[in-house]
Amino acid sequence: MIAQAFGDGHRRALLIGTGTYSHPGLPRLLSPEVDCARLAEVLRDPEVGQFEVQQLVDADRSTLERAIEEFFLTAQRDDVCLLYLSCHGIVNRNDKLYFAVLSTDPERPAHSAISASFVHEVMDECRARSIVVVLDCCYSGLFIPGAKGSTSAGFEEALAGHGRVVITAGTRVQRAWEGDHSDVDTPALSRFTETLVEGLRSGDADLNVDGLITVQELFRYASERLHREGREQTPRLGGEMQYDIVLARVKKKRRQRSSRTTNTKESSRRTASTRTRSRPEAPWRMSAASGPARQPVLSDGTLVVHEKCSLHVIDAESHRRYPLTQTNYIGSPAFHKGAAYFPGKGHWLRSVDLRTGRPRRSARLQVSDGLLGVCTDVLYAPGPDGSLHSIDLLSGSIRWSQPLGKTAIGCAPEVAAGNVIVMAKEPRPLGAADQGRGRVVAVLETTGRPSWSYQPEGPLSSDWVVTDLGIYLTQQVESSRQRIVAVDPTNGEPLWSFDTAANLAAAPAVASGFVIYGDVDNRLVTLDAKSGAQLWERKTKGRVLTRPFTVDGTLFTADRSATLTAWKLSVGRKLRSHDLLVSPDRRGRPAVSNGWLYLTDSRGDIHALPTSLHQVSPPPTEVTVLAG
């Protein structure tokens, strides 16, 4: 849920720029002064940012530290506080970040510069729920690891639905670049700040076209623009943010008067254009996560991209971006009819509507992180005490609960052949050499009563596949190779086993009577699902990054060489390929619907590609995000 645009509190900004330095080891910077001036201009604009702005340029250390302290400590609960710094960034031998000021000695920054830790300490004492820090300096990415990562109830209550977030011009090792100063009398903005100012001023950073520009939208806009321009800067976003923070409105553009006929025609063209863009017939791409994330899940017409503790939700047809959902846990949620299910505070089951971000009614039950499974309107949820619960999602009632003993559940429950299948690991005494091989347990889908259990000969990996024809487990044989074991889902009896030549790079897949896997030596192998016999083996350009997946007899793999490859499943013949580096997801895979592939790339963007891959040249371009 996005915070209200300009709520009841004050909107305050402190902009600090230092371009003049007394020490010869710190060269003069021309951008900081103009950075602050231009950013102040757009933030102050009552039609855009409506901030109360204070600027400090080339001030001494004591003045700046006093101003920063005053800025944060006088803030009230409902205020939005934005701190911006444009200057040299200095890193000492212990990788601690400092912000250079007028009299800074780069060899002695601890006594002459503003430390990142000082800023963090003052922020911790600030009562404002919405704090944004923007850093345009070298090595600014070091500021993010210093932020507190507490997820305690007290910290979340202090955020009270808003957040504390940091946007940096680059990573912990990158430099930040000034603009083109061909005319010294008219210095240019720095590369990073220029994108921020332009995104706010023009309104182009309003990616979902709802009239508001949030922190995440501005970050994605800046990242995309720097990437397109070939800048050697990779902005970073971090901190604690339960809900997005609105930074600005989109300034309304004045329209020239026209006749009623002209207005009608223009309206018709806009309507037709909107309709066309909402149903694209060509590949498209749009920003989703801020970096590598899991492959998208398609749920009730929405694409859900899971990034750490956040769910990015996008309408698959119109590209409308829905409110960000925070899960508080890194484990995978379960999805059912437009809702996400995951553990909330205290491991209590929580349900959230994907389109609105609002809570839905759910059973009062404690569940384990990332271990929820859904099948036919029923949620199967292991509890922290080792019990397995069956919950009717239509009524919210608990159908049954079955104790499984003192076991640790290793994977989300799966349903096959009338049984709920669970991978469990028995605890071992401290110091025991054997860490436990684990076992597979089945209970009846209707009653929860025990059905059967299977004890493997070696440790089990969580890379498994459960179908009505077989349960395909991955068992560690040696440190460098594994064994795929097929088990009958009706009685737990082993059917066959196959020793791999190397460890699997991602979880295997089962489709059309084939078991398919890729290993760490770039082999792509298919087995007969009934007998375990090897059918064919091929080489991929790089190690596979996701679980292989199939569409109408075509097998798709995505590997580290930035290649998405289509294969004829029955014989292993390479059909076509497309250049794309997807985000690694060991047990996930791209979503498929109506002849389209939906993939998350290594930068967090979603790509929509036709399954034929014939329409993919030239590369897909970013789509216009439509307002809902």
Side-chain angles (χ1 to χ4, degrees), residues 532-569:
Q534 181 172 325
L535 300 176
W536 55 261
E537 176 184 314
R538 300 290 182 267
K539 274 284 189 179
T540 56
K541 290 184 178 180
R543 184 181 299 182
V544 296
L545 295 171
T546 73
R547 187 194 296 263
F549 61 102
T550 62
V551 182
D552 298 329
T554 300
L555 171 67
F556 291 88
T557 58
D559 60 52
R560 283 188 176 179
S561 69
T563 305
L564 174 66
T565 306
W567 313 76
K568 188 173 180 58
L569 177 59

Side-chain angles (χ1 to χ4, degrees), residues 128-147:
R129 297 181 299 171
S130 301
I131 296 177
V132 181
V133 178
V134 180
L135 303 177
D136 194 348
C137 64
C138 298
Y139 320 119
S140 54
L142 282 168
F143 191 86
I144 293 177

Side-chain angles (χ1 to χ4, degrees), residues 541-607:
K541 290 184 178 180
R543 184 181 299 182
V544 296
L545 295 171
T546 73
R547 187 194 296 263
F549 61 102
T550 62
V551 182
D552 298 329
T554 300
L555 171 67
F556 291 88
T557 58
D559 60 52
R560 283 188 176 179
S561 69
T563 305
L564 174 66
T565 306
W567 313 76
K568 188 173 180 58
L569 177 59
S570 58
V571 295
R573 186 176 77 249
K574 185 182 296 186
L575 301 175
R576 49 201 173 271
S577 64
H578 173 63
D579 293 338
L580 179 65
L581 181 60
V582 306
S583 182
D585 190 349
R586 187 177 182 93
R587 282 173 284 280
R589 57 189 170 195
V592 181
S593 177
N594 297 326
W596 288 89
L597 308 177
Y598 300 98
L599 311 93
T600 309
D601 70 15
S602 59
R603 299 173 60 248
D605 293 350
I606 283 186
H607 294 249

Side-chain angles (χ1 to χ4, degrees), residues 500-505 517-525 540 543-544:
T500 65
N503 286 330
L504 272 62
Y517 72 88
D519 68 19
V520 296
D521 289 338
N522 303 347
R523 278 183 286 257
L524 181 63
V525 181
T540 56
R543 184 181 299 182
V544 296

